[in-house]
Amino acid sequence: MTTSRRFSILFLLFGVLAGVSARAAGATPVAVIEQQAADTLDHVAGVVRSADSGMPLAGAILMVDGTGGSATTHGDGSFRIAVPDAGRYRLRIARLGYAAATVEVEQGEFAAVDLEVAAIPLPDVVVTAVLSPTAANETIRPSAVFSEETLQRQLAGTLAQTVESVPGVTVTSMGPGTSQPVIRGLGGDRILVLEDGQRVGDVLSSGPDHASALAPSSAQRIDVIRGPSAILYGSNALGGVINVVRDEVPRAVPYRATGFTTLQGEGATRGIGGSSQVTVGVTEHIPLRVEVSKREGGDLRTPIGRLVGTQTDVWSVAAGTSWVDDWGFAGGSFRYYANDYGIPGGFLGGHTNAVRTEQERMAGRFRSVIRPGGGFETVEFDAGYTWYQHHEMEPPDILGAQYEREIVSGEARARHARWGPFASGAIGARVSWEDFGFGGALHTPNSRRRTQAAYILEEIRLDPVTVEAGLRYDRVELDPDQEDSSSDIGHIRARSFNAVSGSLGALMPVTEQFTLGASVARAFRTPDVHELYSEGPHLAANSYDVGNPSLGTETGLGIDVFGRVAGRRLSAEATWFRNTIAGYIFPQATGQLSRVRLPIYQFVGEDAVLTGFESQFGWSLPAGLKLEAVASYVRGTIRDTNEPLPFMPPLEGRVALGFAPVDWFVEAEARMASSQERTGRFEEPTDGYAILGLSGGVRFTFLGRLHVVTLHFDNLRNTEYRRHLSRVKEIMPEAGRSISAVYRVVF
């Protein structure tokens, strides 16, 4: 990567920022802000200050529950947000280095919000797999939110690397560009990755060499839901849901231009990149959101050398607009994403040279939320179209594999507030049509998939217990281009699947700070086209895949029991889970080589059980010190034979000690994993390891904008270690000693 290309990234991103009106922050008198609030009856306005010093806070994020209205405070701490009707609104406020707050405010009322300094931020709000925005410590499912400071500290080049600090989440990869998330030992098609609540539409689940077709650097927030979440999302949510939230279709018109610019540097790959996003009010009813992101990186550097052929080159652009009125909003968005990344060679019995993979994705979306009044809070309509193409090129320019996918989908959902015994609820329906195309050395037939679903989810308040119950029906039809009863893998034919999912959960506050919860959920997953119909080499993944056209539906019964403590200085959560899956589908290593000298993997369905725990602990000590600890473990077993399931992560943990005053922080951490000797057939065990890291950051206000700089030093001792889920651990260890940097300015 040349110096000129590196600087082109910087100029591109700062060019977006420079196009925004840069009104520097003179201190507006509080009396003037109060008068503005009183004179503007269709807005709420006010100022955000530090409770300790009384100084105004720039860069605080404010959101109005139920309307989608949001704003970022300016250098004088002021804000102004449009609201549709007279009445009281709940305003949520968050700012780096301070505890989040919630206040009630009316139209035209001046709101003076004083935020308390907090070394451990209060739980953020979850918007995924819940009926309405809910604090993470009040959800029935174990959840984590990456936003504000958490997202700034953990932001990495891929989505999986960004969220891997969550207990129960780990990473599998074949290089820095292909990291895939694994939740509670489940990955691939059992983890549902969403972008603003919609399926991404890539082929992430079709091979360990495939990358997710989205970039995390432009995310406003990322929600991670652990455990079955099938009621709102259907198939593919056995393990959990990850939702990257950007609000690509703007829900409100900002009073002033708002957004952020992020720049990243990664020492392990000599990579550089970033993103910039801005939302402006074109008129009082029309907002416009524009986004651009770019990232480039070289080969991964390890303690024993470079992992050759693992360069990455990612970029994307997006734009969205809408019409916003008192009744709600309606609008659309468009996104283009391209990724050119490498898969290393050097596998015994496989390809000897690196493989280049070229991804392209285009997605259009229509979204509308209507507030009809009466019994329903909102009626939502969502429609989307996604086109995806994926080429894997063997040297010199041989097409090894080609994937194409087109998706047309539509969903309607109505949410109600209190209605008889129900505190809130939703009823909805979803349809989708998908076309799959294959080429190169792949022998998977082109296929079509049709899905229809209907669901209902209700919440009941039985003080002090909150109960949530849901029911969903899905029908999935798969139709290959040609029926073949003489195929070597079996009778290739059309298949149809019907499934009913259900969930029941309860949350009970024992004290003001301690809560108990439990849930049970029946979820399902239909086999995908690759598992049913594949027969041939997948060169980049170093495998010869053999499908099974007779595979049935996976049906999982998941149980979670947890306890939570949420206080000003102490936060903790411990979860025990058990997931029993009938017909668990996985590629079983046969120990044989194909005619092209690739290891043969046969897709089989076996009854399995996965049991484990997750725990996290945070303690804010005197003088700004804080202690954090995380641990997780999952044990997977094939029930009939009592054999271990393959590719299960070992016991993993993290311990960190930090010092965090208001304007800066420093933290030392140790990431640990035990050895993994419970392995599947022909799977090699791995040793345990402990990796030391050091991070620090500073926050400051300049020209009325909040600037944040974070540095992270990883693998300080340059330890040679191998993750058990790495698909390249036989040829290279993980990254060596490195430094990464993230800069973000919020405006």
Side-chain angles (χ1 to χ4, degrees):
M1 181 171 54
T2 65
T3 302
S4 62
R5 293 181 71 187
R6 293 174 187 265
F7 278 107
S8 69
I9 297 174
L10 305 182
F11 285 122
L12 177 67
L13 297 172
F14 274 118
V16 175
L17 178 59
V20 180
S21 174
R23 185 185 305 180
T28 305
V30 172
V32 174
I33 302 173
E34 290 182 1
Q35 186 60 46
Q36 290 174 349
D39 293 342
T40 313
L41 296 180
D42 58 347
H43 288 70
V44 294
V47 62
V48 179
R49 304 172 300 205
S50 169
D52 287 355
S53 65
M55 295 294 292
L57 296 177
I61 307 297
L62 300 99
M63 296 182 61
V64 180
D65 280 1
T67 72
S70 63
T72 302
T73 57
H74 305 282
D76 55 8
S78 65
F79 67 88
R80 182 180 175 188
I81 309 173
V83 290
D85 306 304
R88 295 191 67 81
Y89 293 89
R90 176 174 291 181
L91 191 63
R92 298 182 185 269
I93 309 99
R95 207 272 195 181
L96 294 176
Y98 292 83
T102 302
V103 298
E104 301 282 340
V105 63
E106 292 184 354
Q107 272 188 344
E109 178 184 350
F110 174 77
V113 183
D114 294 324
L115 298 184
E116 300 282 349
V117 175
I120 296 180
L122 294 180
D124 211 327
V125 176
V126 177
V127 298
T128 305
V130 292
L131 290 169
S132 59
T134 305
N137 65 329
E138 297 175 0
T139 60
I140 290 178
R141 297 169 188 83
S143 308
V145 180
F146 290 79
S147 68
E148 299 296 324
E149 183 160 5
T150 306
L151 183 58
Q152 171 78 16
R153 293 193 189 188
Q154 303 295 336
L155 188 62
T158 66
L159 176 63
Q161 292 169 326
T162 298
V163 303
E164 68 171 322
S165 62
V166 176
V169 178
T170 189
V171 172
T172 180
S173 72
M174 293 188 70
T178 64
S179 299
Q180 298 183 10
V182 174
I183 302 179
R184 295 180 171 181
L186 300 176
D189 207 32
R190 299 174 184 88
I191 303 299
L192 186 56
V193 178
L194 305 173
E195 192 170 44
D196 276 340
Q198 269 206 342
R199 296 167 186 254
V200 176
D202 53 22
V203 292
L204 179 70
S205 62
S206 297
D209 59 310
H210 295 172
S212 177
L214 58 80
S217 65
S218 60
Q220 293 182 8
R221 56 184 294 119
I222 301 173
D223 290 352
V224 181
I225 313 299
R226 309 191 300 277
S229 304
I231 300 303
L232 292 180
Y233 302 110
S235 181
N236 312 109
L238 275 172
V241 178
I242 301 176
N243 187 18
V244 177
V245 180
R246 294 192 179 96
D247 283 337
E248 291 188 350
V249 180
R251 295 154 50 98
V253 181
Y255 178 56
R256 300 176 184 174
T258 62
F260 58 84
T261 291
T262 299
L263 298 175
Q264 291 177 270
E266 297 178 342
T269 60
R270 302 298 191 266
I272 189 170
S275 63
S276 190
Q277 178 260 109
V278 60
T279 304
V280 299
V282 179
T283 72
E284 65 175 330
H285 291 286
I286 301 177
L288 174 66
R289 180 188 182 277
V290 180
E291 174 201 315
V292 60
S293 67
K294 174 71 171 175
R295 181 172 64 89
E296 295 181 352
D299 290 338
L300 181 71
R301 286 161 168 79
T302 78
I304 63 173
R306 292 191 305 160
L307 186 58
V308 177
T310 55
Q311 304 92 340
T312 56
D313 186 353
V314 185
W315 71 280
S316 67
V317 293
T321 188
S322 61
W323 178 272
V324 180
D325 217 321
D326 290 346
W327 50 262
F329 73 93
S333 65
F334 173 81
R335 173 174 292 275
Y336 175 80
Y337 175 92
N339 187 2
D340 185 357
Y341 66 92
I343 303 297
F347 294 96
L348 180 63
H351 59 284
T352 56
N353 299 310
V355 177
R356 297 301 304 173
T357 301
E358 302 167 353
Q359 286 182 314
E360 276 190 289
R361 173 177 173 256
M362 290 188 290
R365 183 179 190 181
F366 168 81
R367 178 167 170 76
S368 178
V369 177
I370 300 170
R371 292 185 287 270
F376 288 98
E377 278 190 329
T378 61
V379 178
E380 305 171 17
F381 299 96
D382 218 326
Y385 170 79
T386 299
W387 172 87
Y388 177 85
Q389 184 173 265
H390 176 121
H391 293 152
E392 297 175 5
M393 308 299 297
E394 290 271 337
D397 283 308
I398 302 171
L399 179 62
Q402 175 178 308
Y403 299 84
E404 292 184 356
R405 188 176 183 183
E406 283 188 275
I407 305 175
V408 177
S409 64
E411 184 170 2
R413 179 186 301 168
R415 300 176 185 264
H416 68 81
R418 182 167 293 279
W419 189 5
F422 304 109
S424 61
I427 185 170
R430 184 180 186 273
V431 294
S432 68
W433 299 265
E434 301 174 66
D435 284 343
F436 298 88
F438 304 91
L442 296 175
H443 296 136
T444 308
N446 296 343
S447 305
R448 289 161 300 281
R449 179 164 63 190
R450 294 174 294 276
T451 304
Q452 305 94 39
Y455 57 86
I456 183 171
L457 183 64
E458 296 290 340
E459 182 179 286
I460 305 172
R461 297 285 176 87
L462 304 172
D463 288 337
V465 178
T466 299
V467 176
E468 183 186 271
L471 196 64
R472 180 182 178 109
Y473 171 77
D474 285 81
R475 177 173 175 80
V476 180
E477 300 171 352
L478 277 165
D479 186 14
D481 269 358
Q482 294 182 342
E483 183 172 338
D484 186 355
S485 59
S486 60
S487 171
D488 291 341
I489 66 172
H491 184 188
I492 295 177
R493 62 198 186 278
R495 299 290 307 277
S496 62
F497 306 90
N498 299 275
V500 175
S501 304
S503 69
L504 180 65
L507 199 67
M508 183 181 71
V510 179
T511 68
E512 187 175 338
Q513 296 183 341
F514 179 55
T515 303
L516 289 175
S519 65
V520 58
R522 183 185 190 273
F524 81 103
R525 186 182 78 90
T526 60
D528 68 15
V529 173
H530 186 66
E531 294 166 337
L532 288 171
Y533 305 132
S534 63
E535 182 190 11
H538 190 170
L539 301 178
N542 187 45
S543 65
Y544 189 97
D545 299 336
V546 179
N548 182 351
S550 298
L551 288 171
T553 301
E554 286 185 359
T555 304
L557 182 65
I559 302 174
D560 278 63
V561 179
F562 60 84
R564 291 188 186 128
V565 176
R568 299 287 296 182
R569 292 192 172 275
L570 178 66
S571 65
E573 180 172 311
T575 304
W576 173 86
F577 64 88
R578 179 183 174 89
N579 201 351
T580 304
I581 304 176
Y584 178 86
I585 301 169
F586 64 98
Q588 178 75 274
T590 64
Q592 301 174 342
L593 294 179
S594 69
R595 59 184 179 274
V596 292
R597 309 300 296 169
L598 288 172
I600 297 176
Y601 288 86
Q602 169 73 59
F603 284 100
V604 298
E606 301 278 2
D607 293 345
V609 59
L610 295 94
T611 305
F613 73 89
E614 301 153 351
S615 62
Q616 54 187 343
F617 172 85
W619 185 21
S620 178
L621 302 169
L625 292 172
K626 63 173 183 177
L627 176 66
E628 295 180 356
V630 169
S632 61
Y633 176 70
V634 59
R635 180 186 177 95
T637 304
I638 300 173
R639 302 188 72 178
D640 289 344
T641 63
N642 206 34
E643 293 180 67
L645 277 177
F647 300 113
M648 288 290 109
L651 173 66
E652 296 181 322
R654 173 181 177 269
V655 177
L657 179 64
F659 179 63
V662 176
D663 296 325
W664 60 279
F665 77 92
V666 63
E667 181 178 86
E669 69 168 6
R671 291 185 291 113
M672 298 155 287
S674 68
S675 61
Q676 178 58 291
E677 298 178 356
R678 292 193 79 250
T679 56
R681 297 179 188 175
F682 310 105
E683 183 184 7
E684 293 296 324
T686 50
D687 296 330
Y689 58 84
I691 305 301
L692 301 181
L694 182 66
S695 60
V698 61
R699 320 174 188 99
F700 59 93
T701 301
F702 179 66
L703 294 179
R705 294 170 180 167
L706 177 65
H707 301 253
V708 185
V709 179
T710 303
L711 296 176
H712 186 76
F713 300 87
D714 196 24
N715 197 357
L716 291 176
R717 298 184 300 175
N718 204 35
T719 302
E720 180 181 336
Y721 71 102
R722 288 167 166 81
R723 289 177 181 267
H724 185 71
L725 299 189
S726 170
R727 300 301 183 108
V728 295
K729 59 180 180 286
E730 293 87 357
I731 59 175
M732 276 291 174
E734 297 297 316
R737 184 186 297 116
S738 65
I739 180 174
S740 61
V742 179
Y743 163 77
R744 174 171 285 197
V745 55
V746 181
F747 53 90

